Amino acid sequence: MGDLTPPQRAAALQTEGPLLVLAAAGSGKTRVITRRIAYLVGIGVPPWQILALTFTNKAAGEMRERVAHLMTQHERQTRGLTITTFHSLGARLLRRYAEVVNLNPEFTIYNSGDQATLVKRVIESMQLSTSNWPARSVLSAISEAKNKLLDAEGYAARAMDFYAKTIAKVFAGYQTALRAAGAVDFDDLLVLTAKLLRDNAQAREECNARWRYLMIDEYQDTNHAQFVIASLLAGKGEPNSNGPNICVVGDPDQAIYGWRGADIGNILDFEENYPKARVIALGENFRSTAPILAVADTLIRRNTRRKHKDLFTRRAGGDRIEVTICRDEHHEAALVTDWFKSLHEHRGEGPAVEAGIAWREMAVFYRTNALSRVMEDAFRAAAIPYTIARGTAFYEREEIKNALAYLRLLANPSDNVSLERIVNTPTRGLGNTTLARVEIFARQNEVQMLEALRSSARGEDSGINARAASAAGKFVELIDGWTGGGTFLGASVGASLAELVGRVIKESGLEEMYRKQAAVSKSEPDDERVDNLAELISSAREFELEFDAASDPAEAAPFAPETPPLLGMLRGYLESVALVADADTVDPSQGAVTMMTLHAAKGLEFPAVAMIGLEEGLLPHSRAAESESQLEEERRLCFVGITRAMRRLSITSAKYRTTRGISERTIPSRFLGEFGQQHVRVSDQSDAFSGNDSTGGPESWSDNRSGSQSLAPHKASNLSSLAGPLPYAVGTLVRHPQFGLGRIKSVVTGSNARAVIDFQAVGTKTLVLEYARLQRV
DNA sequence: AGAGGCAATTTTTTT
DNA sequence: AATTGCCTCT
């Protein structure tokens, strides 16, 4: 422990009773947690009595690895140690206590796409218009309720107006449909776990008996359900103690999930909940240079709702933060690209020979995912290797979703959303008409869709014709072939998960379907989808290897003892796929620049960081402009971004930005003016003719800012010259960036004025003038 | 039944 | 600009 600072050591050694560690950014928080776990085991606590909860799999994995590393150094066992995410823990507990919470132990975890499909179906079945009741907003209302531990009944009881009453009905219908499909959504994983622990003494006592030391990371981002889970898992503690052994670690200044129901009050009120709690603040920063820290500190001091703690470093020196005003997003991307290139190649000036910074040590942060595209193009053009932290992206590809839908149906035959997705993909003669009839039949006989298809195939009259019945028979046979008729046993059923996934992809006809599509489309054979399917098999193989290694005798119980190993593995695999986070895919071993949202950046650090899009409406985001508390959260988001940087930080703000096809004048982010002047170097590169650098600090553009606000809204130049009050004259010759030269044949005026244009190269097209980037010739 | 084309809509962050 | 959904044509 000699290498820890006194407060770090105090936090690691304080094993008994409630402990709140207020860990500033870069203060060695993970180090403290891992050392604490190692210390606990060192003084004789059995590892299986320790439970550490994180938010992402990546954080859990990293912690697990570091603990394992520490322990093997001291030749200690980690067997039974539980380091996992709230959601994974919920999933495991719910499988184990499935009957208690009235849940199918085979349950599938529905992601937001599945949820949307399901609510939409419920909304339609209630004869409501999906345009008045968009799935997204209905779901967010439901999610908000769930995070407060309100169920459909509770929500209905509080619903006063028509809107809330309707949501309540959809909520109830959605919940019924979820359960009918043997499915739970993300929120259910927390809500049902909280209820289980609250209402079932046996489950609670079993957990309390097993886990005697509880640790929670990123506590500032827990929502109410998570708070309840944590409190119940912690229990009351020994009669004469200061309270339970619960150690929470977090930083109120890094709370960025308020929109997801996270309650910053959980950490601010920790001392009220546990009056005898000890509080340890870790304020010393070991990550960033002094100027970076000073800027972060100056910014975050603007927040009123916070507990101030001094951020300090003992290191001296370091470059000033670069703030660059650029013309537009392309210019911005070019500046970042150049900067990264110079950092990479540059071997330092003068006596201090500084090695070039590796690609993997650089990152680009942005507020919204949409900003990544232009950066991506620039990196590709400049041949800079990059990766984007989007964990779900792979699993959201159509071909992968289809393959997974097959697998999910195997693991849970009631999963109707999955069945509907693939029953006719590739097409096998089970179209809408047939399915509608089978669904009626299924409802009348109170059986699952898959069963209804089976009956139809057997010749039972479900109202479908013979041809459809035979198609249904083939489909059911296919499924049974993979599951061994549901047993997951037998010679024809592969013993390996990867083998099963491979069989499904092949025998379902998915592979062939995409191969054919690739052959037909365009000139170049586009095998991307086929390749992705192959990658899915590899991911299953990888999981298989880890599944055995991670399998833990103390946790083996969740699945019923008679569960065939292959089925157990399949469920585990699907669960891991369902719970991936964006940040989970950040792999520092890759020699590539990482691009990610500010949210995904939390908990990471990079020697060189570029933050782009520091503009009003983007950061702070326009949707967060309603309240002061939302604005403060945006400021914290900015703070999180800044504090990820170890040595170099460059921030850009573009004067014009194209969103959804239209370029608009922007206003520099107010946060730029909150950095202070001392440690910032501002350079305005937006004027092509000047290389003017002003070192005056952010104040120097405050005039600029008010100036730009007073400017009349300025639409894209190409459009203001065209879409004016005068309609295009028929016969005008125009040029389109894609379609080339064309002549206007007719024009329809109005709010979405459009023109029919006859292009030389591609023939006649109807274009909306506002979006078509036309030039008069 | 199914594919392809056209039109309307899109605007945050994520387990 | 890009995606999604609806409608029509084969």
Side-chain angles (χ1 to χ4, degrees):
Chain A
M1 296 274 168
D3 52 336
L4 297 183
T5 63
Q8 284 179 337
R9 196 176 312 134
L13 299 182
Q14 179 72 46
T15 61
E16 307 302 305
L19 171 67
L20 166 61
V21 180
L22 288 170
S27 62
K29 175 191 70 164
T30 312
R31 188 170 204 193
V32 168
I33 301 178
T34 51
R35 297 298 289 268
R36 195 168 190 278
I37 294 173
Y39 176 72
L40 276 167
V41 177
I43 60 172
V45 173
W48 51 266
Q49 290 190 351
I50 303 169
L51 172 64
L53 293 175
T54 63
F55 276 79
T56 65
N57 293 304
K58 170 137 197 296
E62 235 160 53
M63 202 178 287
R64 222 177 279 134
E65 213 167 278
R66 288 175 67 164
V67 171
H69 181 72
L70 271 179
M71 307 271 247
T72 45
Q73 275 181 346
H74 297 93
E75 295 178 359
R76 299 207 188 276
Q77 284 282 340
T78 59
R79 222 175 165 71
L81 175 65
T82 313
I83 303 179
T84 187
T85 66
F86 270 101
H87 287 84
S88 303
L89 177 77
R92 279 186 212 163
L93 290 178
L94 291 177
R95 288 215 203 273
R96 184 190 311 216
Y97 298 102
E99 308 92 78
V100 178
V101 283
N102 239 335
L103 211 60
N104 180 346
E106 294 170 351
F107 68 80
T108 310
I109 300 167
Y110 273 7
N111 62 27
S112 33
D114 306 319
Q115 293 180 49
T117 324
L118 200 59
V119 243
K120 222 180 136 197
R121 233 173 48 189
V122 172
I123 292 167
E124 276 161 4
S125 78
M126 293 172 66
Q127 314 288 327
L128 293 167
S129 121
T130 45
S131 47
N132 287 343
W133 302 93
R136 275 179 67 116
S137 45
V138 173
L139 274 172
S140 78
I142 293 176
S143 177
E144 199 186 335
K146 284 188 175 181
N147 284 326
K148 290 187 206 147
L149 290 184
L150 266 183
D151 57 14
E153 255 177 53
Y155 188 89
R158 297 181 181 208
M160 291 306 163
D161 53 0
F162 173 72
Y163 179 81
K165 281 181 180 169
T166 311
I167 297 278
K169 281 182 206 153
V170 179
F171 190 172
Y174 167 69
Q175 218 53 31
T176 310
L178 263 183
R179 293 302 175 265
V184 299
D185 63 20
F186 287 133
D187 298 322
D188 285 340
L189 290 175
L190 302 178
V191 171
L192 296 176
T193 304
K195 285 188 179 167
L196 167 75
L197 294 173
R198 189 187 63 195
D199 301 338
N200 188 282
Q202 196 198 334
R204 185 175 60 243
E205 279 157 20
E206 275 177 31
C207 288
N208 288 161
R210 168 165 177 182
W211 290 306
R212 305 217 14 258
Y213 293 88
L214 176 59
M215 259 162 267
I216 302 166
D217 194 14
E218 308 282 11
Y219 193 67
Q220 76 281 354
D221 285 329
T222 48
N223 62 29
H224 182 63
Q226 287 163 326
F227 169 79
V228 170
I229 292 171
S231 309
L232 292 167
L233 284 176
K236 291 208 167 66
E238 302 296 322
N240 288 321
S241 65
N242 288 334
N245 304 325
I246 175 175
C247 166
V248 304
V249 185
D251 179 4
D253 287 340
Q254 294 184 65
I256 55 175
Y257 285 104
W259 53 273
R260 208 168 71 186
D263 184 357
I264 197 170
N266 291 343
I267 193 165
L268 296 176
D269 301 340
F270 185 80
E271 293 164 82
E272 277 166 45
N273 287 313
Y274 300 99
K276 293 183 181 167
R278 182 164 176 199
V279 181
I280 295 175
L282 305 178
E284 179 170 2
N285 179 293
F286 301 97
R287 177 187 293 151
S288 311
T289 60
I292 292 173
L293 221 51
V295 168
D297 186 58
T298 310
L299 173 75
I300 203 66
R301 278 171 187 269
R302 300 267 180 162
N303 276 4
T304 53
R305 279 196 51 193
R306 76 176 204 118
K307 268 189 180 176
H308 175 74
K309 54 188 175 313
D310 283 315
L311 257 182
F312 63 100
T313 178
R314 294 185 220 184
R315 299 196 225 164
D319 297 311
R320 279 202 277 189
I321 290 23
E322 303 269 352
V323 171
T324 311
I325 310 298
C326 39
R327 220 167 36 241
D328 56 19
E329 66 274 12
H330 298 287
H331 186 204
E332 177 177 63
L335 287 171
V336 172
T337 309
D338 289 347
W339 187 56
F340 279 180
K341 268 187 168 168
S342 71
L343 289 177
H344 185 67
E345 289 157 12
H346 203 60
R347 299 268 147 188
E349 308 158 33
V353 178
E354 195 184 338
I357 299 179
W359 296 127
R360 83 173 82 89
E361 296 178 317
M362 307 178 190
V364 185
F365 301 156
Y366 35 79
R367 175 67 234 264
T368 66
N369 280 304
L371 295 193
S372 70
R373 184 160 256 122
V374 178
M375 279 305 316
E376 230 181 306
D377 292 344
F379 281 152
R380 208 177 306 126
I384 294 179
Y386 67 87
T387 49
I388 300 187
R390 291 209 78 185
T392 49
F394 178 71
Y395 298 103
E396 259 155 33
R397 290 166 191 268
E398 180 200 304
E399 62 276 18
I400 300 302
K401 280 199 285 192
N402 285 335
L404 288 175
Y406 275 101
L407 294 171
R408 297 197 330 180
L409 186 61
L410 302 188
N412 171 15
S414 339
D415 186 348
N416 288 330
V417 169
S418 293
L419 181 134
E420 257 171 56
R421 184 176 182 94
I422 49 81
V423 68
N424 205 30
T425 311
T427 54
R428 48 171 73 90
L430 292 169
N432 292 336
T433 330
T434 306
L435 282 181
R437 286 185 187 146
V438 176
E439 201 178 337
I440 292 169
F441 176 80
R443 205 170 306 157
Q444 280 169 349
N445 293 273
E446 293 183 344
V447 293
Q448 293 297 339
M449 277 295 280
L450 191 61
E451 279 316 302
L453 284 168
R454 203 185 295 275
S455 308
S456 312
R458 270 200 307 261
E460 231 169 284
D461 182 19
S462 59
I464 67 174
N465 60 39
R467 207 164 104 187
S470 125
K474 282 194 184 138
F475 177 73
V476 175
E477 251 173 59
L478 205 54
I479 302 288
D480 286 346
W482 294 323
T483 63
T487 64
F488 282 86
L489 298 170
S492 64
V493 180
S496 119
L497 178 66
E499 206 176 302
L500 176 69
V501 177
R503 275 190 66 189
V504 167
I505 287 170
K506 234 181 206 70
E507 294 170 19
S508 64
L510 276 183
E511 193 187 56
E512 199 193 340
M513 179 179 100
Y514 289 117
R515 213 178 279 287
K516 274 187 189 156
Q517 272 182 21
V520 169
S521 73
K522 311 271 167 60
S523 46
E524 307 153 42
D526 181 15
D527 276 0
E528 201 191 338
R529 289 171 189 266
V530 181
D531 293 345
N532 285 332
L533 289 173
E535 206 177 318
L536 187 71
I537 302 177
S538 323
S539 92
R541 187 167 297 121
E542 235 167 77
F543 177 82
E544 217 162 353
L545 295 173
E546 280 172 27
F547 186 70
D548 269 338
S551 100
D552 163 6
E555 287 175 10
F559 307 120
E562 69 270 19
T563 303
L566 180 58
L567 178 56
M569 201 183 296
L570 177 60
R571 284 181 189 160
Y573 175 63
L574 292 173
E575 186 175 303
S576 77
V577 164
L579 297 177
V580 282
D582 279 5
D584 292 346
T585 52
V586 177
D587 180 4
S589 67
Q590 297 217 330
V593 173
T594 309
M595 298 168 57
M596 65 184 112
T597 62
L598 286 163
H599 283 89
K602 195 175 66 163
L604 305 175
E605 59 179 26
F606 296 89
V609 166
M611 274 171 75
I612 65 173
L614 268 272
E615 294 138 36
E616 287 292 306
L618 219 41
L619 184 67
H621 197 271
S622 51
R623 298 281 286 240
E626 289 154 34
S627 69
E628 194 57 31
S629 71
Q630 285 179 317
L631 182 69
E632 293 205 346
E633 181 155 312
E634 295 291 304
R635 194 177 277 115
R636 291 194 291 268
L637 204 46
C638 187
F639 173 82
V640 165
I642 293 170
T643 52
R644 301 307 97 195
M646 298 164 77
R647 306 204 312 261
R648 308 289 304 265
L649 175 62
S650 177
I651 293 171
T652 57
S653 178
K655 274 198 176 159
Y656 290 88
R657 189 172 293 277
T658 307
T659 323
R660 253 170 36 242
I662 35 177
S663 167
E664 277 188 314
R665 177 87 211 222
T666 68
I667 299 168
S669 168
R670 70 192 72 185
F671 297 151
L672 293 174
E674 298 175 358
F675 289 170
Q677 301 184 36
Q678 211 185 337
H679 304 285
V680 180
R681 182 167 175 274
V682 182
S683 113
D684 187 341
Q685 313 251 324
S686 64
D687 180 356
F689 299 102
S690 83
N692 268 356
D693 284 356
S694 93
T695 45
E699 254 42 75
S700 65
W701 70 68
S702 57
D703 300 339
N704 213 357
R705 197 210 292 189
S706 50
S708 58
Q709 270 169 330
S710 65
L711 276 180
H714 180 103
K715 293 230 170 181
S717 50
N718 51 13
L719 155 136
S720 52
S721 63
L722 287 178
L726 299 172
Y728 269 113
V730 171
T732 310
L733 211 53
V734 294
R735 184 181 295 282
H736 185 274
Q738 213 178 323
F739 305 137
L741 218 54
R743 193 174 291 281
I744 296 189
K745 292 177 76 179
S746 68
V747 174
V748 183
T749 52
S751 60
N752 271 325
R754 55 195 87 204
V756 178
I757 303 167
D758 188 14
F759 288 102
Q760 272 180 356
V762 292
T764 309
K765 300 222 175 251
T766 306
L767 300 173
V768 178
L769 288 176
E770 198 181 347
Y771 297 114
R773 293 171 301 169
L774 293 175
Q775 272 188 319
R776 216 184 282 253
V777 178

